[in-house]
């Protein structure tokens, strides 16, 4: 599962990325943390059972800070987008290559209106951020349209022959982009287009289908950045127009994580406040006081909340804690609540067994709810925060 960070140049996209990936060296021993120039590891946060159970945990594949479990996931800093990217303008080809790896997108928008459509600096409030949102979605929609349009008549003819399934052949057209047959089926349901007449779809119908397929397969979450310098009327207008958006200060989050990393303060990502623990100079105190004021008005910096929203509510993931010893919540090496896995909502104990190890999945016998010490059904749908013991013939 990859989350892509998108946006035009100079909106704070890289600051957002750097904030959420700070501490990469600390998570270098965790899964999938081999990174390149535009990919890193970040966290989703969820409550750790250690507080509830009054035990001291010893995480192995994640972190725990004061009862908040930080579960790693991959995040991609997609190349800055400009108009015409779908046809290769600017870094368009790199943008689309990066984008193809992401399962969902976070669009970082300059809510202050201090950068024009190309990302050039302008007076605060002189540019309408809505234009940025519209053009980015249009570029991605046109990319999808281009993929479909290039070979449309060839595979539409195959579908019309009655020997090929429309959903399967369209999904194959997007091989490597992460689009499934289910995505295609849902787009057809949404658009109500007739596949039997696909040979005769007009260009506008194909574009409608491409837009629907993009929305379903790569949903976009809007993050309004630079809200600390944005005119209040801008923010209110954007919220009214867009509905479910996040207001954030990526710069504030980056400052807090750097300071926490340096031991100057205690800060839990997604927290609404922080605690100073080190000696600060006057300049540092002044900066942190400004950040504190912003956090009090906004219940935090908003950055981690955006990540959590994407993972839990857009992608529908849950956090599950597997253990081997349900009485002491340990693994075979004595580590307490050692692992935290992100699973698909609707996953079963057998799915968790395969996630832990293929051999454990193949030899799965049954599972136990570690809290109740009771065996659970094989078709039980795992819930957020479950602690599960897997019993396998492989052990």
């Amino acid at each position: 599962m990859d989350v892509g960070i998108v946006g035009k140049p100079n909106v704070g996209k890289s600051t957002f990325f750097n904030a959420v990936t700070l501490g990469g060296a600390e998570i270098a021993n965790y899964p999938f943390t081999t990174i390149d120039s535009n990919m890193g590891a970040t966290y989703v946060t969820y409550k750790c059972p250690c507080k509830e159970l009054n035990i001291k945990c010893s995480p192995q594949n994640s972190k725990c800070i004061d009862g908040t479990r930080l579960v790693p996931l991959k995040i991609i800093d997609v190349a800055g987008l400009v108009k015409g990217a779908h046809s290769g303008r600017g870094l368009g080809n790199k943008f689309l290559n990066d984008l193809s790896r992401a399962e969902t997108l976070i669009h970082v928008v300059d809510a202050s209106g201090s950068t024009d459509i190309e990302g050039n600096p302008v007076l605060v409030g002189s540019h309408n951020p809505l234009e940025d949102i519209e053009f980015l979605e249009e570029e991605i929609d046109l990319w999808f349209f281009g993929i479909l349009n290039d070979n449309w008549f060839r595979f539409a003819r195959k579908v019309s022959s009655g020997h090929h399934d429309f959903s399967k052949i369209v999904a194959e057209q997007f091989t490597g982009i992460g689009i499934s047959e289910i995505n295609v089926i849902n787009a057809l349901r949404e658009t109500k287009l007739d596949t039997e007449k696909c040979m005769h779809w007009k260009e506008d119908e194909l574009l409608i289908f491409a837009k629907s397929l993009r929305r379903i397969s790569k949903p976009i979450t809007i993050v309004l950045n630079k809200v600390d310098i944005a005119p209040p009327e801008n923010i209110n207008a954007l919220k009214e127009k867009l509905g479910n958006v996040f207001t954030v200060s990526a710069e504030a989050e980056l400052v807090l994580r750097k300071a926490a990393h340096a031991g100057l303060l205690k800060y839990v990502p997604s927290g609404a406040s922080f605690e100073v623990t080190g000696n600060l100079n006057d300049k540092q105190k002044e900066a942190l006081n400004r950040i504190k004021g912003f956090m009090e008005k906004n219940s935090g910096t908003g950055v981690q909340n955006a990540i959590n929203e994407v993972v839990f509510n857009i992608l529908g993931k849950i956090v599950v804690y597997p253990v081997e010893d349900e009485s002491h919540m340990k693994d075979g090496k004595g580590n307490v609540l050692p692992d935290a896995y992100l699973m698909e909502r609707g996953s079963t104990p057998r799915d968790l067994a395969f996630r832990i190890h293929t051999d454990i999945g193949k030899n799965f016998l049954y599972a136990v709810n570690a809290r109740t010490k009771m065996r659970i059904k094989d078709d039980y749908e795992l819930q957020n925060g479950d602690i599960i013991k897997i019993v396998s013939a492989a052990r």
Side-chain angles (χ1 to χ4, degrees), residues 365-369 372-378:
L365 296 176
Y366 63 90
V368 174
N369 182 326
T372 64
K373 310 297 187 290
M374 296 183 66
R375 182 169 170 170
I376 53 181
K377 296 180 179 179
D378 290 355

Side-chain angles (χ1 to χ4, degrees), residues 11 64 73 105 152 161 212 263 276 287 342 352 367 376 382:
V11 296
C64 180
L73 67 144
L105 306 173
W152 182 254
S161 72
S212 176
V276 175
L342 283 171
L352 177 61
I376 53 181
L382 298 173

Side-chain angles (χ1 to χ4, degrees), residues 104-120:
T104 187
L105 306 173
I106 293 177
H107 183 187
V108 180
V109 177
D110 177 3
S112 70
S114 60
T115 47
D116 66 16
I117 199 71
E118 299 282 347
N120 300 308

Side-chain angles (χ1 to χ4, degrees), residues 147-197:
I147 294 173
L148 287 170
N149 195 46
D150 283 348
N151 299 292
W152 182 254
F153 287 109
R154 179 174 60 83
F155 68 73
R157 195 162 36 242
K158 290 182 180 179
V159 173
S160 297
S161 72
H163 299 297
H164 297 270
D165 179 74
F166 181 91
S167 301
K168 183 177 181 179
I169 202 168
V170 170
E172 288 174 350
Q173 193 73 3
F174 287 88
T175 299
I177 301 179
I179 292 176
S180 67
E181 290 182 45
I182 296 298
N183 294 150
V184 179
I185 291 169
N186 288 335
L188 287 171
R189 287 173 180 167
E190 183 178 270
T191 58
K192 296 182 173 60
L193 290 166
D194 188 349
T195 58
E196 293 183 3
K197 299 178 180 178

